[in-house]
Amino acid sequence: MSVIYEKIYNVERDDYANAGLVSSLIKQSLRTIGISPAVSRRVAVAVYEAEINMIIHAYGGTITLQISDDGMIRLIAKDKGPGIPDIEKALTPGFSTASKKAMELGFGAGMGLPNIKRNADEFSIESSPAGTILDLKFQERE
């Protein structure tokens, strides 16, 4: 397996005005190269949630899209901290540590990580005070 396409997108802290831009760009790219609408939607949901988590909780970061010659789509979301103190709790639907500002803007319902995990075929998360890394994989389904 080798990577045939890779693109890195930057996500800025508190950039609510552009929330969802990265997920839209990735969804558009996937459709352009012929990924099915169903898989494109699952990827877009996961990317959107990761992007929003970076905007709300982290100090910015990157989302890398990779596509392999075997059709595997991989997303690596890497932020610059502060990390998730309790990953198990953060994976609980409805649990949120979002700020009042984020909630007033309609974000922070506590469904980000659960939605990411539900939509990805493979889900891996590592977190420390230096940052959080999500490694997600998606495969075309018949």
Side-chain angles (χ1 to χ4, degrees):
M1 169 188 86
S2 64
V3 175
I4 58 171
Y5 179 87
E6 180 175 85
K7 182 151 184 172
I8 300 171
Y9 301 86
N10 290 310
V11 179
E12 300 298 325
R13 178 183 193 172
D14 292 327
D15 188 8
Y16 293 97
N18 288 306
L21 177 62
V22 171
S23 60
S24 294
L25 292 171
I26 287 176
K27 185 177 181 181
Q28 184 178 48
S29 293
L30 294 176
R31 288 217 171 151
T32 299
I33 62 171
I35 301 298
S36 73
V39 173
S40 296
R41 268 192 302 277
R42 289 190 307 114
V43 171
V45 168
V47 173
Y48 177 81
E49 297 289 7
E51 181 181 359
I52 295 303
N53 281 349
M54 281 186 195
I55 290 169
I56 294 173
H57 302 289
Y59 309 135
T62 60
I63 297 176
T64 302
L65 168 66
Q66 295 177 339
I67 302 172
S68 300
D69 56 5
D70 65 355
M72 181 68 71
I73 299 161
R74 183 178 182 194
L75 294 169
I76 304 162
K78 184 175 183 180
D79 71 44
K80 300 173 188 169
I84 302 170
D86 188 335
I87 291 173
E88 187 175 328
K89 193 179 262 188
L91 284 165
T92 304
F95 176 79
S96 179
T97 60
S99 68
K100 182 178 177 185
K101 176 184 177 181
M103 289 188 178
E104 286 172 352
L105 292 170
F107 302 105
M111 292 305 296
L113 285 176
N115 281 340
I116 293 168
K117 187 173 184 180
R118 183 173 39 83
N119 279 283
D121 292 320
E122 293 182 37
F123 172 92
S124 171
I125 184 170
E126 296 176 22
S127 193
S128 74
T132 299
I133 300 171
L134 282 172
D135 192 345
L136 313 171
K137 293 180 182 171
F138 304 82
Q139 186 69 52
E140 285 279 357
R141 292 182 181 157
E142 294 299 320

Tab-separated table of all heavy atoms in Angstrom, residues 13-16 52-59 82 94-110:
chain	number	residue	atom	x	y	z
A	13	ARG	N	-7.282	27.964	16.106
A	13	ARG	CA	-8.057	28.062	17.342
A	13	ARG	C	-9.077	29.196	17.232
A	13	ARG	O	-8.781	30.264	16.683
A	13	ARG	CB	-7.100	28.341	18.497
A	13	ARG	CG	-7.803	28.504	19.820
A	13	ARG	CD	-6.829	28.849	20.906
A	13	ARG	NE	-7.487	28.686	22.199
A	13	ARG	CZ	-6.873	28.770	23.351
A	13	ARG	NH1	-5.581	29.019	23.389
A	13	ARG	NH2	-7.530	28.612	24.465
A	14	ASP	N	-10.273	28.965	17.744
A	14	ASP	CA	-11.346	29.970	17.805
A	14	ASP	C	-11.768	30.518	16.444
A	14	ASP	O	-12.376	31.579	16.380
A	14	ASP	CB	-10.962	31.139	18.725
A	14	ASP	CG	-10.870	30.743	20.184
A	14	ASP	OD1	-11.639	29.854	20.610
A	14	ASP	OD2	-10.042	31.317	20.897
A	15	ASP	N	-11.473	29.819	15.360
A	15	ASP	CA	-11.827	30.297	14.024
A	15	ASP	C	-13.238	29.815	13.653
A	15	ASP	O	-13.437	29.065	12.707
A	15	ASP	CB	-10.797	29.822	12.997
A	15	ASP	CG	-11.005	30.443	11.621
A	15	ASP	OD1	-11.842	31.352	11.497
A	15	ASP	OD2	-10.316	30.007	10.681
A	16	TYR	N	-14.214	30.285	14.414
A	16	TYR	CA	-15.602	29.866	14.209
A	16	TYR	C	-16.122	30.291	12.838
A	16	TYR	O	-16.981	29.623	12.272
A	16	TYR	CB	-16.498	30.423	15.319
A	16	TYR	CG	-16.191	29.835	16.667
A	16	TYR	CD1	-15.369	30.496	17.578
A	16	TYR	CD2	-16.723	28.606	17.039
A	16	TYR	CE1	-15.086	29.943	18.821
A	16	TYR	CE2	-16.442	28.046	18.276
A	16	TYR	CZ	-15.619	28.724	19.163
A	16	TYR	OH	-15.332	28.172	20.389
A	52	ILE	N	-14.053	20.965	14.442
A	52	ILE	CA	-14.733	21.751	15.476
A	52	ILE	C	-14.046	21.559	16.821
A	52	ILE	O	-13.850	22.524	17.576
A	52	ILE	CB	-16.235	21.373	15.563
A	52	ILE	CG1	-16.958	21.750	14.273
A	52	ILE	CG2	-16.893	22.023	16.777
A	52	ILE	CD1	-16.857	23.213	13.883
A	53	ASN	N	-13.642	20.324	17.136
A	53	ASN	CA	-12.939	20.090	18.396
A	53	ASN	C	-11.653	20.905	18.468
A	53	ASN	O	-11.310	21.453	19.512
A	53	ASN	CB	-12.647	18.604	18.586
A	53	ASN	CG	-13.854	17.837	19.074
A	53	ASN	OD1	-14.870	18.415	19.465
A	53	ASN	ND2	-13.761	16.519	19.033
A	54	MET	N	-10.927	20.993	17.345
A	54	MET	CA	-9.699	21.796	17.332
A	54	MET	C	-10.003	23.277	17.549
A	54	MET	O	-9.283	23.963	18.273
A	54	MET	CB	-8.960	21.632	16.005
A	54	MET	CG	-8.170	20.392	15.896
A	54	MET	SD	-7.229	20.461	14.343
A	54	MET	CE	-6.756	18.761	14.222
A	55	ILE	N	-11.042	23.766	16.902
A	55	ILE	CA	-11.411	25.184	17.023
A	55	ILE	C	-11.824	25.499	18.453
A	55	ILE	O	-11.420	26.519	19.008
A	55	ILE	CB	-12.548	25.520	16.026
A	55	ILE	CG1	-12.009	25.491	14.595
A	55	ILE	CG2	-13.175	26.883	16.340
A	55	ILE	CD1	-13.065	25.540	13.510
A	56	ILE	N	-12.614	24.623	19.066
A	56	ILE	CA	-13.144	24.880	20.406
A	56	ILE	C	-12.125	24.605	21.506
A	56	ILE	O	-11.969	25.410	22.425
A	56	ILE	CB	-14.397	23.995	20.664
A	56	ILE	CG1	-15.541	24.407	19.751
A	56	ILE	CG2	-14.829	24.077	22.124
A	56	ILE	CD1	-16.744	23.472	19.840
A	57	HIS	N	-11.452	23.464	21.440
A	57	HIS	CA	-10.689	22.977	22.585
A	57	HIS	C	-9.178	23.098	22.476
A	57	HIS	O	-8.491	23.108	23.494
A	57	HIS	CB	-11.013	21.495	22.838
A	57	HIS	CG	-12.456	21.225	23.095
A	57	HIS	ND1	-13.091	21.605	24.249
A	57	HIS	CD2	-13.393	20.610	22.333
A	57	HIS	CE1	-14.361	21.235	24.201
A	57	HIS	NE2	-14.571	20.628	23.044
A	58	ALA	N	-8.641	23.137	21.264
A	58	ALA	CA	-7.183	23.058	21.095
A	58	ALA	C	-6.585	24.408	20.720
A	58	ALA	O	-7.293	25.396	20.567
A	58	ALA	CB	-6.850	22.020	20.022
A	59	TYR	N	-5.296	24.412	20.554
A	59	TYR	CA	-4.564	25.618	20.156
A	59	TYR	C	-4.250	25.584	18.667
A	59	TYR	O	-3.196	26.021	18.235
A	59	TYR	CB	-3.278	25.731	20.972
A	59	TYR	CG	-3.492	25.611	22.466
A	59	TYR	CD1	-2.653	24.819	23.231
A	59	TYR	CD2	-4.536	26.268	23.110
A	59	TYR	CE1	-2.838	24.694	24.600
A	59	TYR	CE2	-4.727	26.140	24.476
A	59	TYR	CZ	-3.878	25.352	25.211
A	59	TYR	OH	-4.073	25.231	26.566
A	82	PRO	N	-4.521	21.456	24.542
A	82	PRO	CA	-3.932	21.023	25.813
A	82	PRO	C	-4.087	19.541	26.134
A	82	PRO	O	-3.686	19.082	27.199
A	82	PRO	CB	-4.717	21.844	26.833
A	82	PRO	CG	-6.080	21.932	26.250
A	82	PRO	CD	-5.847	22.040	24.758
A	94	GLY	N	-22.702	13.182	24.888
A	94	GLY	CA	-23.266	14.244	25.721
A	94	GLY	C	-22.279	14.893	26.668
A	94	GLY	O	-22.559	15.959	27.211
A	95	PHE	N	-21.114	14.276	26.876
A	95	PHE	CA	-20.117	14.886	27.762
A	95	PHE	C	-19.404	16.006	27.011
A	95	PHE	O	-18.911	15.807	25.913
A	95	PHE	CB	-19.086	13.861	28.243
A	95	PHE	CG	-17.994	14.470	29.082
A	95	PHE	CD1	-18.223	14.779	30.411
A	95	PHE	CD2	-16.764	14.782	28.527
A	95	PHE	CE1	-17.230	15.366	31.188
A	95	PHE	CE2	-15.762	15.368	29.292
A	95	PHE	CZ	-15.998	15.660	30.626
A	96	SER	N	-19.357	17.193	27.607
A	96	SER	CA	-18.736	18.327	26.935
A	96	SER	C	-17.975	19.200	27.918
A	96	SER	O	-18.400	19.388	29.055
A	96	SER	CB	-19.808	19.188	26.252
A	96	SER	OG	-19.215	20.301	25.615
A	97	THR	N	-16.856	19.715	27.458
A	97	THR	CA	-16.097	20.715	28.212
A	97	THR	C	-16.018	22.017	27.427
A	97	THR	O	-15.152	22.844	27.663
A	97	THR	CB	-14.665	20.215	28.526
A	97	THR	OG1	-13.990	19.941	27.295
A	97	THR	CG2	-14.684	18.973	29.410
A	98	ALA	N	-16.940	22.195	26.478
A	98	ALA	CA	-16.937	23.383	25.618
A	98	ALA	C	-17.181	24.645	26.446
A	98	ALA	O	-17.891	24.626	27.455
A	98	ALA	CB	-18.011	23.259	24.538
A	99	SER	N	-16.597	25.722	25.978
A	99	SER	CA	-16.762	27.013	26.640
A	99	SER	C	-18.170	27.567	26.442
A	99	SER	O	-18.914	27.132	25.555
A	99	SER	CB	-15.759	28.022	26.061
A	99	SER	OG	-16.097	28.313	24.708
A	100	LYS	N	-18.513	28.533	27.253
A	100	LYS	CA	-19.816	29.201	27.120
A	100	LYS	C	-19.946	29.813	25.722
A	100	LYS	O	-20.992	29.721	25.089
A	100	LYS	CB	-19.951	30.277	28.195
A	100	LYS	CG	-21.280	30.983	28.181
A	100	LYS	CD	-21.381	32.014	29.300
A	100	LYS	CE	-22.705	32.748	29.194
A	100	LYS	NZ	-22.801	33.813	30.162
A	101	LYS	N	-18.852	30.412	25.226
A	101	LYS	CA	-18.857	31.008	23.889
A	101	LYS	C	-19.200	29.963	22.825
A	101	LYS	O	-20.042	30.205	21.956
A	101	LYS	CB	-17.494	31.632	23.588
A	101	LYS	CG	-17.367	32.189	22.183
A	101	LYS	CD	-15.965	32.712	21.912
A	101	LYS	CE	-15.829	33.204	20.484
A	101	LYS	NZ	-14.476	33.684	20.206
A	102	ALA	N	-18.554	28.800	22.889
A	102	ALA	CA	-18.810	27.745	21.909
A	102	ALA	C	-20.268	27.301	21.963
A	102	ALA	O	-20.912	27.130	20.927
A	102	ALA	CB	-17.880	26.554	22.149
A	103	MET	N	-20.786	27.151	23.168
A	103	MET	CA	-22.181	26.714	23.317
A	103	MET	C	-23.159	27.776	22.817
A	103	MET	O	-24.166	27.439	22.193
A	103	MET	CB	-22.457	26.328	24.755
A	103	MET	CG	-21.754	25.037	25.137
A	103	MET	SD	-22.281	24.482	26.758
A	103	MET	CE	-21.372	22.965	26.896
A	104	GLU	N	-22.850	29.041	23.047
A	104	GLU	CA	-23.706	30.115	22.554
A	104	GLU	C	-23.741	30.140	21.022
A	104	GLU	O	-24.725	30.554	20.422
A	104	GLU	CB	-23.239	31.465	23.081
A	104	GLU	CG	-23.558	31.672	24.546
A	104	GLU	CD	-22.930	32.933	25.132
A	104	GLU	OE1	-22.112	33.596	24.459
A	104	GLU	OE2	-23.250	33.238	26.293
A	105	LEU	N	-22.664	29.670	20.401
A	105	LEU	CA	-22.591	29.603	18.931
A	105	LEU	C	-23.176	28.300	18.377
A	105	LEU	O	-23.165	28.081	17.173
A	105	LEU	CB	-21.139	29.770	18.470
A	105	LEU	CG	-20.548	31.163	18.704
A	105	LEU	CD1	-19.041	31.163	18.454
A	105	LEU	CD2	-21.237	32.187	17.816
A	106	GLY	N	-23.691	27.450	19.266
A	106	GLY	CA	-24.340	26.220	18.830
A	106	GLY	C	-23.439	25.002	18.777
A	106	GLY	O	-23.819	23.968	18.234
A	107	PHE	N	-22.245	25.102	19.332
A	107	PHE	CA	-21.306	23.985	19.360
A	107	PHE	C	-21.221	23.424	20.776
A	107	PHE	O	-21.740	24.003	21.704
A	107	PHE	CB	-19.914	24.443	18.896
A	107	PHE	CG	-19.888	25.031	17.522
A	107	PHE	CD1	-19.774	26.396	17.333
A	107	PHE	CD2	-19.981	24.219	16.403
A	107	PHE	CE1	-19.744	26.945	16.055
A	107	PHE	CE2	-19.954	24.753	15.125
A	107	PHE	CZ	-19.837	26.125	14.957
A	108	GLY	N	-20.528	22.298	20.916
A	108	GLY	CA	-20.256	21.777	22.251
A	108	GLY	C	-21.315	20.866	22.826
A	108	GLY	O	-21.504	20.820	24.032
A	109	ALA	N	-22.010	20.119	21.972
A	109	ALA	CA	-23.059	19.211	22.445
A	109	ALA	C	-22.500	17.911	23.026
A	109	ALA	O	-23.251	17.090	23.539
A	109	ALA	CB	-24.027	18.888	21.308
A	110	GLY	N	-21.188	17.722	22.920
A	110	GLY	CA	-20.593	16.512	23.479
A	110	GLY	C	-20.740	15.285	22.592
A	110	GLY	O	-20.679	14.154	23.060
